[in-house]
């Protein structure tokens, strides 16, 4: 008879394997409930903005900061899931959405401009993210780049430029930065980013790009400009009208990209 001391120790949990094929713990979505492409706003209350473009809309789940709705756009089945703010919750959303069948991701968020001429409501397409976050360092070494899918990004840039021109605004493409600490962005840090030529700052893209790359998924980002930090303007100074209009244009650009590439 074995003594308790000789019983084999339990193996540590392998998080890459738990929950496969099940309803996901954080986003509360199960396999078969979503499409192959997901638009990712940060705010759960912006998921209905995506739904305004869709037909046959259905709310799938709303758990914590993650709200999911599905519908149809020009013959394509579309999912919208909010990531919440920051890289940790974004990484969770992407990992769990991938487990239930999503293979392409387009972030449609808010971002502050860091170069002259960028105004609230303008569209900002990321060509890569400077990883100033902690989450991605748990996945990959410091030198690993956070880059989006090239074909997806080029399509986003084309549609964003066309939609912005039709609206009388502008679209820009460039390197973004993902910061962890919103209120730790000092004037010195903002000036340094500006001098490096960084286009805009937000809080989620680096995790989206890194996780997607590691998992063999496609990802891109188009944001609406919320304010211009090098012009001395913060979110507290700007009116929300231009930003909301920018959100809607970014969603349209993402949806048109999904249709063109059959995501």
């Amino acid at each position: 008879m074995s003594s308790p001391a000789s019983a084999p120790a339990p193996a540590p949990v392998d998080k890459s394997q738990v929950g496969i094929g099940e309803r996901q713990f954080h986003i509360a979505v199960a396999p078969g409930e979503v499409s192959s492409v997901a638009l990712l706003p940060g705010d759960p209350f912006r998921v209905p903005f995506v739904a305004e473009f869709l037909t046959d809309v259905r709310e799938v789940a709303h758990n914590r900061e993650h709200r999911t709705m599905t519908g149809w756009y020009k013959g394509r089945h579309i999912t919208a899931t909010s990531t919440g703010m920051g890289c940790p919750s974004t990484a969770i959303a992407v990992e769990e959405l991938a487990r239930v069948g999503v293979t392409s991701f387009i972030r449609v968020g808010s971002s502050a401009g860091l170069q002259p001429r960028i105004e609230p409501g303008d569209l900002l397409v990321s060509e890569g993210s400077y990883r100033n976050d902690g989450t991605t360092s748990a996945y990959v070494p410091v030198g690993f780049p956070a880059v989006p899918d090239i074909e997806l990004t080029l399509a986003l840039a084309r549609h964003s430029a066309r939609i912005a021109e039709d609206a009388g605004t502008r679209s820009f493409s460039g390197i973004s930065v993902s910061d962890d600490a919103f209120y730790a962005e000092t004037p010195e840090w903002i000036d340094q980013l500006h001098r490096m030529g960084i286009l805009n700052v937000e809080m989620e893209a680096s995790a989206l790009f890194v996780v997607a790359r590691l998992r063999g998924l496609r990802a891109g980002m188009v944001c609406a400009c919320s304010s211009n930090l090098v012009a001395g303007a913060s979110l507290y100074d700007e009116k929300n009208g231009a930003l909301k209009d920018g959100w809607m244009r970014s969603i349209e650009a993402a949806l048109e990209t999904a249709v063109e590439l059959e995501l």
Side-chain angles (χ1 to χ4, degrees):
M1 181 175 180
S2 300
S3 65
S6 63
V13 172
D14 182 354
K15 288 193 174 182
S16 69
Q17 299 302 313
V18 297
I20 301 296
E22 301 178 18
R23 186 168 301 280
Q24 298 300 295
F25 183 80
H26 299 91
I27 64 172
V29 174
E33 293 182 338
V34 293
S35 65
S36 60
V37 58
L39 273 59
L40 305 178
D43 185 348
F45 294 100
R46 274 191 273 123
V47 173
F49 291 172
V50 180
E52 289 184 26
F53 290 86
L54 309 180
T55 59
D56 299 323
V57 174
R58 182 170 72 93
E59 181 153 8
V60 177
H62 191 174
N63 190 50
R64 306 187 184 202
E65 63 265 52
H66 305 296
R67 185 178 189 180
T68 298
M69 302 178 79
T70 64
W72 294 82
Y73 181 82
K74 296 184 177 180
R76 302 301 302 177
H77 192 201
I78 302 293
T79 296
T81 298
S82 52
T83 62
M85 289 187 290
C87 284
S89 61
T90 298
I92 288 171
V94 174
E95 293 272 26
E96 295 192 357
L97 284 168
R99 289 175 169 209
V100 297
V102 178
T103 56
S104 298
F105 300 83
I106 304 175
R107 169 163 152 71
V108 285
S110 304
S111 187
L114 294 169
Q115 298 300 321
R117 298 176 54 243
I118 301 174
E119 298 179 354
D122 286 345
L123 297 184
L124 306 168
V125 177
S126 178
E127 297 173 344
S129 178
Y130 170 13
R131 292 169 47 209
N132 192 42
D133 71 280
T135 301
T136 56
S137 294
Y139 281 91
V140 291
V142 172
F144 190 96
V147 290
D149 180 85
I150 294 174
E151 184 183 27
L152 196 160
T153 300
L154 290 173
L156 276 177
R158 286 195 305 273
H159 289 295
S160 295
R162 172 183 56 80
I163 292 166
E165 183 178 8
D166 289 346
T169 59
R170 288 168 295 190
S171 178
F172 299 87
S173 297
I175 302 297
S176 57
V177 58
S178 294
D179 275 352
D180 267 350
F182 183 91
Y183 286 105
E185 292 168 351
T186 63
E188 293 77 17
W189 175 240
I190 291 167
D191 183 61
Q192 182 180 345
L193 294 171
H194 163 69
R195 287 186 284 106
M196 288 193 295
I198 302 296
L199 183 71
N200 56 297
V201 55
E202 49 82 67
M203 299 181 70
E204 291 81 25
S206 57
L208 167 61
F209 296 161
V210 167
V211 173
R213 187 67 57 168
L214 292 178
R215 304 298 181 236
L217 310 167
R218 306 180 78 177
M221 179 177 78
V222 54
C223 284
C225 176
S226 57
S227 60
N228 189 316
L229 298 180
V230 298
S234 77
L235 283 170
Y236 292 92
D237 302 317
E238 304 293 346
K239 295 181 179 179
N240 289 330
L243 176 56
K244 182 177 180 182
D245 290 343
W247 284 335
M248 302 308 279
R249 288 190 287 271
S250 72
I251 291 166
E252 184 180 0
L255 291 171
E256 290 294 322
T257 297
V259 170
E260 177 190 338
L261 300 183
E262 299 182 346
L263 299 179

